[in-house]
Amino acid sequence: MMQRVDLSRTHRLKTFAAKATLVARRVRAHFTTPDSIETTIRNLPYVANEGELAGKVVLVTGAGQGVGLVLAGALAEAGARVALMGRNLAPLEHAKQRLIAQGAVVQVVVGDASDPEAAERALAEIDARLGGVDILVNNAGVGGPWGKPFWEADPRAFREAIDINLSGAFLMARAAARLAVAQNRPLRIINVSSLATEMPGAGMAAYNSSKSGLESLTRAMAADGDGHGITVVTLSLHSVQTERKAAHDWASNALLPPAPVVVPAFLHVATAPAAEVQGRVVASWRYLAAPEAETLLAGPKSLLVPIAYPPFLHQGQATARDPLRFSIHDRAENPWGPSPEALQAIDRSLQAAPLSHYPDERLSELTGMLAHLHGLPEASFAFGPGSWEVLARLVSLFAKPGEQVVSHDPGWFGFNLVCRRAGVTQARARFHLGDAQSPPSQNLRAILDRITPQTRLVYLINPANPEGTPLLQAEMDEFLDALPPRLPVIIDEAYIEYAAASGIFDTVAAVKLRRNAIIGLRTFSKFYGLAGARVGYAYAAPDLAQLVRNTENIFSLSSPSAAAAAAALADRAYYAALHARFINERKTVFQGLEQRGLAPLPAETPFVLAHRPQNAEELFERLENEGIYIARYAFHGDRYMMYPVAQAATTEAIFHHLDALASG
């Protein structure tokens, strides 16, 4: 009789071996590949003015441990005479001995910064021992009631956080400034704040409030200090390793950067010319990444980089992205081009109004045609040079830095870049690719699950990019019913003119009904073939559209661009034929991919998302050798890619090379 195999035990052993192997790989990678923190440590910025601290008297509060001690050590190393202040003598004496061993001149002052009399005594004592204070570092702080909603917070603990973090900084600054003004000498005050002011978390009401107040206090004190030699700046810190955090959670603390990484930003605010830092909030993490930009901007925009595609390569060499030389399909541009009437309208525009004159800022003709096309009042429209620009304005209009927007994952990369630039937080819901029980969908239930009271905007794409799946009327009706009625919802319809399926959500009808705070977003770049003209627009109920127009730059569209867009709308026959051509070619692409086992998703876009072949890179190279360029992007775990809906010759070439690769 055969012995029964213990499948459960065998499975457990196999999974243990597999997980152990994965862990071993991660451990090996950890020791062989520098992580982001190691890279940061290796590339700490150099601060040229550090030598100016020699001989200066610097008072650091909360200096017995953690960041305060690190800052005091950096000052001492730069030649400053340092005074350490705290509420308990033992840690201050221990810190003093460490610094003296390094050759520093150090004094200790015991006192509570939140006590007005203690603040006055501390400044008088330092003045008597070392001379007047040149730099005051308001570092003393407490976390306050932590990890509880504000209604469960202990009022005494809340008050203590405000007293120490905010009132204490005021009292120390007041005492230092009174002495400096009386002695007619300059003073620099550095208030230490936190990343929490830009990204407030739950259960931190006291801490967030005190640090936000501290940053506002900095600006107010800087305004008072102008003309009196008093410079006030905030240094905002990101999370770093501290003894307090280690005692609470050693493992999490160990994964943070070491505290000394904040030193370059601190030395910068301590030594930079007063005019460069007066009243500013300089962030340590931004200074590490972009010191020159943060010096000039002192804000989230210091981390911005240009938005640009990688260089266009042909046979490994950078070359011009020339659509007359190559067949290019990597940006979903219309391969058949715009209406001849649109091109003629550009010529007529140049003859009617020379480029030396400004365009019609009201865009009267284009607005009137869109109003007629959609059956909406002219006050429902707002324009910009491409829908990307309009979208960027919408995000900045409705969401402040640190606030939340909800969208799909992966979503359109352009929207993700817009959010990053605006400093807003994205909560993203996975797209449903379909299974045996249900077809592909935009998974609006998952979008709803990510909406919180902190959500300021919802962004949907109809039809979706990159999946090509449309929003359906029935699912959108249910979705909108569940939304807060005043929560703005952007429906990006960059590809709506390519759609042909029944039952697709009608954004125009929803706007007419004033249902929710819906904003439609469209472009002339795709279906109308005017990507080079840069014309985009938003449409909404007139009062909502007015908010968008308030952000619009005057003369945002050139006369030729506006004329081309209006002419394209008028040439109904050309675009009706173009639509039919796209539908037929899309059907051919879909069926061809399906026959080759690449599992395409049903699409209403000028591309079809389907599985990547195993040898995708060779496919790209074969096509590029023929001058055909398709998008190399990979989606959904690198399983999918976008196949263009293009002219028949391009489709035939793609299928030919897919077949050649499959046959070996």
Side-chain angles (χ1 to χ4, degrees):
M1 184 175 181
M2 294 182 63
Q3 186 176 1
R4 184 182 299 276
V5 178
D6 187 346
L7 295 178
S8 176
R9 184 170 180 272
T10 301
H11 169 73
R12 193 176 301 116
L13 289 171
K14 286 182 177 179
T15 55
F16 173 80
K19 290 177 181 179
T21 300
L22 291 174
V23 170
R25 289 175 184 171
R26 294 192 188 103
V27 171
R28 184 169 61 250
H30 172 77
F31 284 104
T32 58
T33 305
D35 61 15
S36 60
I37 294 175
E38 186 176 350
T39 302
T40 296
I41 294 171
R42 289 179 178 178
N43 297 287
L44 291 177
Y46 169 72
V47 182
N49 298 328
E50 180 179 338
E52 296 180 7
L53 290 169
K56 295 286 181 69
V57 176
V58 186
L59 172 58
V60 183
T61 68
Q65 62 178 359
V67 171
L69 180 55
V70 168
L71 297 182
L75 290 161
E77 187 176 347
R81 294 176 292 162
V82 182
L84 311 179
M85 181 174 174
R87 291 185 289 182
N88 300 310
L89 178 60
L92 292 176
E93 284 293 343
H94 180 70
K96 176 182 176 179
Q97 296 308 316
R98 285 177 55 181
L99 295 178
I100 288 177
Q102 299 170 18
V105 176
V106 185
Q107 292 290 334
V108 165
V109 181
V110 177
D112 184 347
S114 64
D115 180 346
E117 294 181 359
E120 295 282 355
R121 284 197 305 269
L123 267 299
E125 187 173 341
I126 297 304
D127 184 46
R129 293 185 188 179
L130 298 175
V133 171
D134 298 298
I135 301 174
L136 167 65
V137 182
N138 276 319
N139 172 72
V142 295
W146 197 272
K148 294 182 178 180
F150 69 87
W151 59 89
E152 294 181 6
D154 182 348
R156 290 169 297 181
F158 187 96
R159 179 60 182 268
E160 180 190 35
I162 299 298
D163 284 347
I164 295 175
N165 299 356
L166 179 57
S167 298
F170 163 73
L171 293 171
M172 292 299 298
R174 176 180 180 272
R178 284 163 62 89
L179 197 59
V181 170
Q183 296 175 348
N184 194 29
R185 55 179 177 72
L187 169 69
R188 181 162 301 200
I189 301 168
I190 302 172
N191 294 323
V192 177
S193 185
S194 166
L195 171 66
T197 63
E198 293 189 17
M199 302 180 66
M204 299 169 57
Y207 187 77
N208 290 339
S209 301
S210 63
K211 292 301 184 181
S212 295
L214 184 62
E215 294 182 6
S216 181
L217 178 65
T218 293
R219 291 187 284 271
M221 291 195 302
D224 288 341
D226 280 345
H228 297 279
I230 298 175
T231 303
V232 192
V233 58
T234 289
L235 175 64
S236 183
L237 303 181
H238 55 299
S239 293
V240 294
Q241 296 177 15
T242 65
E243 295 91 334
R244 185 181 299 171
K245 292 174 186 171
H248 175 69
D249 185 347
W250 176 88
S252 297
N253 184 68
L255 295 176
L256 296 173
V261 300
V262 307
V263 167
F266 173 72
L267 294 177
H268 166 66
V269 297
T271 61
E276 288 187 9
V277 296
Q278 180 71 297
R280 292 197 165 199
V281 178
V282 175
S284 60
W285 65 95
R286 291 196 297 262
Y287 187 84
L288 286 174
E292 290 296 327
E294 182 66 3
T295 297
L296 291 172
L297 303 178
K301 289 183 172 56
S302 65
L303 296 182
L304 295 183
V305 296
I307 294 176
Y309 286 91
F312 187 82
L313 301 177
H314 178 60
Q315 296 180 344
Q317 299 295 318
T319 188
R321 188 177 181 275
D322 185 354
L324 300 180
R325 180 183 173 193
F326 305 111
S327 178
I328 304 175
H329 307 276
D330 57 352
R331 300 182 192 173
E333 293 147 315
N334 188 332
W336 283 278
S339 155
E341 290 293 329
L343 300 178
Q344 293 170 18
I346 293 174
D347 292 335
R348 291 193 299 270
S349 171
L350 292 173
Q351 294 170 9
L355 289 178
S356 56
H357 286 65
Y358 289 106
D360 169 21
E361 70 270 22
R362 291 177 176 79
L363 300 169
S364 306
E365 181 184 16
L366 180 56
T367 303
M369 295 197 70
L370 286 171
H372 177 73
L373 173 69
H374 295 307
L376 292 169
E378 293 188 6
S380 287
F381 297 92
F383 295 91
S387 61
W388 190 320
E389 190 271 349
V390 182
L391 179 59
R393 284 161 40 205
L394 287 168
V395 171
S396 295
L397 178 65
F398 291 107
K400 299 181 182 68
E403 293 183 333
Q404 185 192 77
V405 299
V406 176
S407 61
H408 276 110
D409 183 18
W412 176 47
F413 80 96
F415 179 71
N416 301 336
L417 287 175
V418 162
C419 291
R420 196 176 310 156
R421 284 193 148 207
V424 302
T425 302
Q426 280 183 274
R428 296 197 277 183
R430 293 295 295 176
F431 197 94
H432 178 57
L433 294 172
D435 50 37
Q437 286 74 40
S438 58
S441 77
Q442 297 218 21
N443 199 7
L444 295 182
R445 172 51 56 186
I447 293 285
L448 279 174
D449 290 343
R450 279 154 181 79
I451 293 172
T452 73
Q454 283 71 49
T455 301
R456 299 292 178 259
L457 185 69
V458 175
Y459 174 75
L460 303 174
I461 308 176
N462 188 30
N465 179 358
E467 295 83 7
T469 305
L471 292 167
L472 300 180
Q473 187 70 46
E475 65 180 356
M476 278 296 289
D477 286 342
E478 182 179 348
F479 174 76
L480 293 173
D481 285 343
L483 278 186
R486 299 289 291 173
L487 178 63
V489 180
I490 297 175
I491 312 291
D492 190 335
E493 299 180 302
Y495 304 112
I496 194 66
E497 290 91 354
Y498 295 101
S502 59
I504 294 179
F505 176 66
D506 189 340
T507 307
V508 174
V511 168
K512 289 178 182 178
L513 292 172
R514 288 179 168 265
R515 182 170 189 182
N516 299 76
I518 291 177
I519 303 169
L521 184 66
R522 294 200 182 186
T523 180
F524 283 85
S525 296
K526 302 299 185 181
F527 181 72
Y528 289 104
L530 293 172
R534 311 307 302 130
V535 182
Y537 66 96
Y539 64 95
D543 53 345
L544 195 53
Q546 181 62 51
L547 298 178
V548 187
R549 282 196 301 277
N550 291 344
T551 68
E552 192 173 308
N553 292 318
I554 193 171
F555 310 128
S556 61
L557 298 186
S558 70
S559 298
S561 294
L569 290 175
D571 195 351
R572 305 291 291 275
Y574 176 84
Y575 287 104
L578 181 63
H579 185 265
R581 188 178 300 162
F582 258 106
I583 301 308
N584 289 334
E585 193 62 33
R586 186 165 63 209
K587 183 177 180 180
T588 299
V589 172
F590 181 88
Q591 291 176 343
L593 294 171
E594 193 173 42
Q595 290 166 4
R596 289 163 176 81
L598 294 174
L601 301 185
E604 297 294 326
T605 46
F607 48 80
V608 177
L609 196 73
H611 284 169
R612 287 165 58 94
Q614 290 184 347
N615 36 18
E617 290 302 317
E618 188 174 349
L619 171 66
F620 298 139
E621 291 175 8
R622 282 170 168 261
L623 290 170
E624 289 169 11
N625 286 335
E626 294 186 19
I628 299 173
Y629 287 81
I630 64 177
R632 286 174 170 260
Y633 312 122
F635 303 96
H636 295 290
D638 294 343
R639 291 181 296 147
Y640 288 84
M641 61 178 277
M642 299 166 79
Y643 295 84
V645 176
Q647 297 189 38
T650 298
T651 302
E652 291 169 4
I654 293 172
F655 288 160
H656 167 75
H657 289 295
L658 281 172
D659 292 341
L661 291 173
S663 63

